[in-house]
Amino acid sequence: MREWLEGVEQRYGLDTLTLRFRQCVLLSFAILLLLVIYRGFLIQGDAVDWRPVVAFVLPLVLFLPSIIGQRARGHAWLAFVSLLYFTQGVMLAAVPGQTVRGGVEALVSLALFIGCMGYARFRSRQQRQAKR
């Protein structure tokens, strides 16, 4: 796996890979955030209560400074948090009538995981090369 990643890095270059994975992170983060907000409003039904929305959105929003600041370590931690949303999406997909919504959430959170891990890897290597 390591040899394959190094081959991809030599073929495309660190700058291109870092940019592509960052785009993947930004897109999947935005979609997941919208899905989570939507689900929070669906749970509350007719009641006007912000607690379900805040409970679902807060773990993602806490990583906004890391995303904006382009910190590799923050992206690595966001990858692990995205697995919680993946698990939740898989569980939701098992509920009758929620299969599509749960499947989409699982796929988007998986894309966020892959994007964050790739970005963390290539961004940290890019920063190490810049120090030399």
Side-chain angles (χ1 to χ4, degrees), residues 65-82:
S66 293
I67 291 175
I68 293 169
Q70 300 182 14
R71 289 181 283 226
R73 183 171 288 171
H75 281 76
W77 280 104
L78 177 58
F80 297 121
V81 170
S82 73

Side-chain angles (χ1 to χ4, degrees), residues 27-104:
L27 181 65
S28 57
F29 183 84
I31 293 171
L32 185 61
L33 194 60
L34 290 173
L35 284 172
V36 168
I37 289 170
Y38 176 69
R39 183 185 36 185
F41 281 121
L42 280 180
I43 286 176
Q44 70 182 352
D46 293 334
V48 180
D49 190 10
W50 285 91
R51 286 179 286 185
V53 177
V54 171
F56 287 124
V57 170
L58 187 62
L60 288 176
V61 171
L62 290 175
F63 286 97
L64 272 175
S66 293
I67 291 175
I68 293 169
Q70 300 182 14
R71 289 181 283 226
R73 183 171 288 171
H75 281 76
W77 280 104
L78 177 58
F80 297 121
V81 170
S82 73
L83 293 177
L84 297 172
Y85 292 98
F86 174 78
T87 304
Q88 196 165 5
V90 170
M91 289 176 20
L92 188 62
V95 175
Q98 303 296 321
T99 305
V100 173
R101 206 173 85 221
V104 168

